[in-house]
Amino acid sequence: MEVLMEARTALITGASQGLGLAIARQLARDGWSLVIDARRADRLKAATDELTTLTTSANRIEAIVGDITDDTHRSAMAEAARSFGNVQLVINNASTLGASPLPELTALAAQPLQRLFDVNVVAPVALVAQLHNDLASGATIVNISSDAAIGSYETWGGYGASKAALDHISRTLAAENPQWRVLSVDPGDLRTEMHADAFPGEDISDRPTPDTVIPAFMRVLDSQAGSGRYQLSDITETWSPSTEEAA
Ligand SMILES: NC(=O)c1ccc[n+]([C@@H]2O[C@H](COP(=O)([O-])OP(=O)(O)OC[C@H]3O[C@@H](n4cnc5c(N)ncnc54)[C@H](OP(=O)(O)O)[C@@H]3O)[C@@H](O)[C@H]2O)c1
């Protein structure tokens, strides 16, 4: 008798487009059940319709429209993941850049700065907290970071500070939960809506599309790499975790 393996479940925030959708496509093809979200219902539906064509009878897609800063929405995401079972992966990808064009810090009002931290820091922590009893030993949490977490670029201070805070959260989550892998992943510049908003009026067609970084992303995810920060531009075809990086 054929024994059906229960599909692994991944929760990916902000998977209607850009990097989140590119990751979702790969995981759907690899047999993961997915819980995804975004605020714009039409884009989320289009993404879900496409992702559903990549699944088999063994894995499913559940899409929930909402804002990741909304506690009720996060609870619905967590509940959907729980109902699928075998939750092995949480990818905190949804993020805001703040105002476009990006303002210097002296022009960044308190409310938009607060919103940057609500979306990019508070929501990821709250989502993991809501799921922590469902995440088995060996589960992976991926927090999508940015080079702006490390570099101090003019006008990128608010967004960069929120991503630096998220990197700190990743390190502390890893220290507190050695049973999980907590990966902070810097994808590099990508041709997406967020990147276009960062450079209004500029031609960003020379930036790589999100699908081009998926092989590197999957190499890290599927490797023995332990908790830590990974820059996808460093992940070559022959990459394997160094002794310090290995779990
Ligand atoms: N693109 C780059 O060059 C670059 C570089 C470094 C790091 N990153 C990081 O990569 C990640 C993905 O960015 P991207 O470039 O792929 O952006 P994107 O194309 O603009 O996609 C962002 C996704 O997140 C969703 N989203 C945004 N705010 C949300 C909220 N409050 N609640 C729920 N969903 C929300 C968006 O849908 P809705 O708007 O409909 O909600 C969309 O699905 C982000 O963490 C970003 O900081 C990007």
Side-chain angles (χ1 to χ4, degrees):
M1 191 179 78
E2 191 190 0
V3 179
L4 285 176
M5 296 283 288
E6 185 185 15
R8 294 170 296 174
T9 298
L11 192 156
I12 313 171
T13 66
S16 63
Q17 61 182 34
L19 179 64
L21 177 57
I23 294 171
R25 284 191 189 109
Q26 186 61 51
L27 294 181
R29 278 191 208 103
D30 290 351
W32 289 75
S33 285
L34 303 179
V35 177
I36 60 173
D37 80 343
R39 293 161 302 170
R40 286 169 288 185
D42 54 340
R43 294 188 186 199
L44 187 61
K45 181 174 184 321
T48 309
D49 289 347
E50 183 200 335
L51 292 169
T52 303
T53 67
L54 305 175
T55 60
T56 66
S57 57
N59 61 327
R60 293 173 285 170
I61 312 290
E62 172 92 19
I64 304 178
V65 176
D67 190 313
I68 201 62
T69 62
D70 174 5
D71 191 46
T72 308
H73 170 65
R74 282 195 308 271
S75 295
M77 297 275 288
E79 190 45 46
R82 208 169 282 134
S83 74
F84 280 175
N86 198 13
V87 188
Q88 295 282 348
L89 178 60
V90 177
I91 303 181
N92 284 307
N93 167 76
S95 174
T96 184
L97 189 67
S100 171
L102 294 169
E104 292 190 356
L105 281 177
T106 50
L108 179 56
Q111 199 279 331
L113 180 58
Q114 180 70 57
R115 173 76 186 165
L116 276 161
F117 276 77
D118 284 347
V119 178
N120 297 353
V121 185
V122 178
V125 176
L127 186 62
V128 172
Q130 265 162 319
L131 278 163
H132 83 276
N133 286 328
D134 305 286
L135 291 167
S137 183
T140 301
I141 294 160
V142 178
N143 291 324
I144 301 294
S145 186
S146 166
D147 63 331
I150 293 171
S152 300
Y153 315 129
E154 286 170 29
T155 75
W156 288 78
Y159 171 82
S162 72
K163 289 294 189 179
L166 185 62
D167 279 1
H168 189 95
I169 295 292
S170 298
R171 291 192 297 274
T172 308
L173 263 182
E176 292 174 349
N177 298 279
Q179 76 279 17
W180 299 336
R181 280 197 313 165
V182 186
L183 310 177
S184 183
V185 172
D186 170 6
D189 286 357
L190 300 173
R191 197 189 313 162
T192 66
E193 183 178 40
M194 177 183 282
H195 198 88
D197 287 344
F199 300 96
E202 285 185 37
D203 178 9
I204 63 157
S205 60
D206 60 335
R207 283 22 163 226
T209 53
D211 54 296
T212 60
V213 296
I214 297 307
F217 179 84
M218 294 307 296
R219 228 167 269 137
V220 176
L221 188 66
D222 291 342
S223 73
Q224 298 300 313
S227 295
R229 192 176 198 281
Y230 297 89
Q231 200 169 303
L232 294 186
S233 58
D234 292 341
I235 311 298
T236 59
E237 270 176 43
T238 55
W239 174 88
S240 60
S242 63
T243 313
E244 306 84 69
E245 288 170 334

